[in-house]
Amino acid sequence: MRENDIIRQIKRHQPPLPAGFEQRRDALLFQLTQEENPMTKKKLTFSLVLAMVLALAAIAVAIAAGLGVFGQLAGNSHDKDKMEKLETLSDTCQQSITLPAEGEFPETTFTLEQGYYDGESLYVSYTVTGKTTAGKLLEGKPDAAELAAYEDHGRTQDVAFGLKSLVGDAFWAQVEERIGRDGYAWFQLFSQYLGDGAYYDENTYINPSVSDYQPQESGGYIGFTEFERPLPDVLLNRDSVDIYMPIYRASTCYYLTQDKALARGERIVSKLPMHIARATEAPDIRTGAADFPGYSAEARTKISPIEVKADIALTSKDPANPVWEKEPGQEDPN
């Protein structure tokens, strides 16, 4: 392997580095390779420079290993400042549940890593370790009666984008070979994954607002969820919250042709429990109101170490022409 290829491999597998780390490393290597003494210029072989780079990378790994999930995700986040604050201010939770291997299902562990709750807003980070999805090619072909129970999932090329990343290149190559040879592929996926939202109880769902995840080379992924404001009333201004995120164990059969994707599946639900204490620093709540011709306005601003959030409500003074209030997820009818 050529020297440039080795360096590219090192960089590709290097974890996110602390701010300014690469600049300090480059400055050190430049200084070492450029220094002169009275007798002769110091020359470092490539192997020595490579050893230094590996040593520095090892230091970076150790630094990254000390970071929680929020800190690890901060480097690639569009809101790096908020993620770094969450890394500093969140509670470390370490609450786990493991789904054991069963039949075709692999063993997978789900862990709540960190939580931040200030009485009004809620953030969590998590890790999913182990293999999450396994695939099995099915022999033969489902009959017409069975296929009639399958749901239409659109075009194969659209479905393939998501499935390939789940099952891996090797299994997907077998699927494509079957489609090319027989005109169809029939297979079953055994998947285990964390749901997007959370529950206080069976009747109280907490909508996610923002979330992201990052696959890990060892398998599984790390991720975080910011939940939608306002939280349900039962979760406001408590000393702590006890909620759970659903874990799904799903078995799905797919029937793919060149241009059509059909699927049918079933799943069972487990719970990842979460106990998160309220942050010690309470948010600063400021309110204000104003009157205007035809309507009045009320504003409420929440200022916390993590974020600044503002809510504005407009009220019409004419009952025959009320001001339309937008609910989360709705579009303006006008």
Side-chain angles (χ1 to χ4, degrees), residues 129-145:
T129 55
K131 191 173 182 180
T132 60
T133 304
K136 177 182 178 180
L137 288 167
L138 302 175
E139 298 300 326
K141 185 177 183 179
D143 58 29

Side-chain angles (χ1 to χ4, degrees), residues 52-204:
M52 290 178 178
V53 172
L54 289 172
L56 291 169
I59 295 172
V61 169
I63 293 172
L67 293 176
V69 172
F70 284 127
Q72 294 177 58
L73 292 173
N76 296 322
S77 173
H78 71 281
D79 201 343
K80 181 178 180 180
D81 183 60
K82 177 189 282 190
M83 298 296 285
E84 289 177 341
K85 290 176 181 176
L86 285 167
E87 170 69 16
T88 301
L89 299 173
S90 292
D91 278 343
T92 300
C93 301
Q94 292 291 309
Q95 300 165 30
S96 297
I97 182 171
T98 298
L99 299 184
E102 182 179 338
E104 300 289 342
F105 286 102
E107 179 177 291
T108 310
T109 298
F110 300 82
T111 304
L112 167 67
E113 297 287 353
Q114 299 157 292
Y116 180 85
Y117 167 70
D118 62 7
E120 295 199 4
S121 297
L122 177 61
Y123 297 82
V124 300
S125 71
Y126 54 84
T127 61
V128 179
T129 55
K131 191 173 182 180
T132 60
T133 304
K136 177 182 178 180
L137 288 167
L138 302 175
E139 298 300 326
K141 185 177 183 179
D143 58 29
E146 184 174 355
L147 278 179
Y150 281 46
E151 295 182 359
D152 187 348
H153 280 234
R155 301 185 305 169
T156 293
Q157 61 184 359
D158 296 331
V159 173
F161 180 79
L163 292 183
K164 184 176 180 180
S165 63
L166 288 176
V167 301
D169 293 340
F171 183 82
W172 193 253
Q174 297 180 62
V175 171
E176 291 181 327
E177 190 274 333
R178 287 282 183 96
I179 295 175
R181 185 190 68 193
D182 302 329
Y184 69 90
W186 189 28
F187 58 94
Q188 191 170 7
L189 294 189
F190 303 87
S191 304
Q192 299 172 132
Y193 55 95
L194 196 63
D196 295 325
Y199 289 86
Y200 171 71
D201 55 35
E202 292 184 356
N203 300 314
T204 308

Side-chain angles (χ1 to χ4, degrees), residues 8-329:
R8 278 195 291 270
Q9 287 291 330
I10 293 171
K11 290 184 177 179
R12 185 177 297 116
H13 294 90
Q14 181 175 306
L17 300 176
F21 185 88
E22 290 183 339
Q23 291 88 337
R24 292 192 294 272
R25 177 202 63 193
D26 293 342
L28 173 60
L29 291 178
F30 179 81
Q31 182 180 358
L32 289 171
T33 55
Q34 298 300 314
E35 278 186 353
E36 295 185 11
N37 62 29
M39 299 297 296
T40 180
K41 181 181 289 187
K42 296 178 182 177
K43 294 184 179 180
L44 301 182
T45 64
F46 170 76
S47 59
L48 183 55
V49 173
L50 178 59
M52 290 178 178
V53 172
L54 289 172
L56 291 169
I59 295 172
V61 169
I63 293 172
L67 293 176
V69 172
F70 284 127
Q72 294 177 58
L73 292 173
N76 296 322
S77 173
H78 71 281
D79 201 343
K80 181 178 180 180
D81 183 60
K82 177 189 282 190
M83 298 296 285
E84 289 177 341
K85 290 176 181 176
L86 285 167
E87 170 69 16
T88 301
L89 299 173
S90 292
D91 278 343
T92 300
C93 301
Q94 292 291 309
Q95 300 165 30
S96 297
I97 182 171
T98 298
L99 299 184
E102 182 179 338
E104 300 289 342
F105 286 102
E107 179 177 291
T108 310
T109 298
F110 300 82
T111 304
L112 167 67
E113 297 287 353
Q114 299 157 292
Y116 180 85
Y117 167 70
D118 62 7
E120 295 199 4
S121 297
L122 177 61
Y123 297 82
V124 300
S125 71
Y126 54 84
T127 61
V128 179
T129 55
K131 191 173 182 180
T132 60
T133 304
K136 177 182 178 180
L137 288 167
L138 302 175
E139 298 300 326
K141 185 177 183 179
D143 58 29
E146 184 174 355
L147 278 179
Y150 281 46
E151 295 182 359
D152 187 348
H153 280 234
R155 301 185 305 169
T156 293
Q157 61 184 359
D158 296 331
V159 173
F161 180 79
L163 292 183
K164 184 176 180 180
S165 63
L166 288 176
V167 301
D169 293 340
F171 183 82
W172 193 253
Q174 297 180 62
V175 171
E176 291 181 327
E177 190 274 333
R178 287 282 183 96
I179 295 175
R181 185 190 68 193
D182 302 329
Y184 69 90
W186 189 28
F187 58 94
Q188 191 170 7
L189 294 189
F190 303 87
S191 304
Q192 299 172 132
Y193 55 95
L194 196 63
D196 295 325
Y199 289 86
Y200 171 71
D201 55 35
E202 292 184 356
N203 300 314
T204 308
Y205 180 66
I206 312 167
N207 282 303
S209 174
V210 179
S211 62
D212 194 12
Y213 74 96
Q214 179 177 300
Q216 301 294 282
E217 290 185 6
S218 58
Y221 53 93
I222 60 175
F224 88 96
T225 298
E226 173 186 353
F227 293 97
E228 188 174 85
R229 294 178 57 257
L231 293 172
D233 289 344
V234 71
L235 294 176
L236 293 175
N237 299 314
R238 300 169 66 101
D239 292 335
S240 63
V241 291
D242 289 277
I243 61 174
Y244 67 88
M245 293 182 76
I247 299 171
Y248 297 107
R249 171 173 269 190
S251 172
T252 309
C253 288
Y254 287 90
Y255 181 80
L256 306 184
T257 63
Q258 292 285 357
D259 55 4
K260 195 72 171 177
L262 303 174
R264 181 185 184 184
E266 56 185 19
R267 67 186 185 184
I268 59 174
V269 183
S270 301
K271 300 176 181 179
L272 175 59
M274 300 181 172
H275 175 81
I276 304 170
R278 186 170 176 172
T280 55
E281 185 174 348
D284 181 12
I285 306 298
R286 302 183 184 185
T287 61
D291 279 317
F292 301 93
Y295 68 94
S296 61
E298 294 183 356
R300 183 179 187 274
T301 302
K302 172 198 165 191
I303 305 171
S304 79
I306 300 295
E307 62 194 354
V308 177
K309 297 282 189 180
D311 300 298
I312 300 176
L314 304 179
T315 303
S316 174
K317 296 179 180 179
D318 181 3
N321 186 29
V323 174
W324 182 78
E325 294 185 2
K326 188 170 115 173
E327 296 292 334

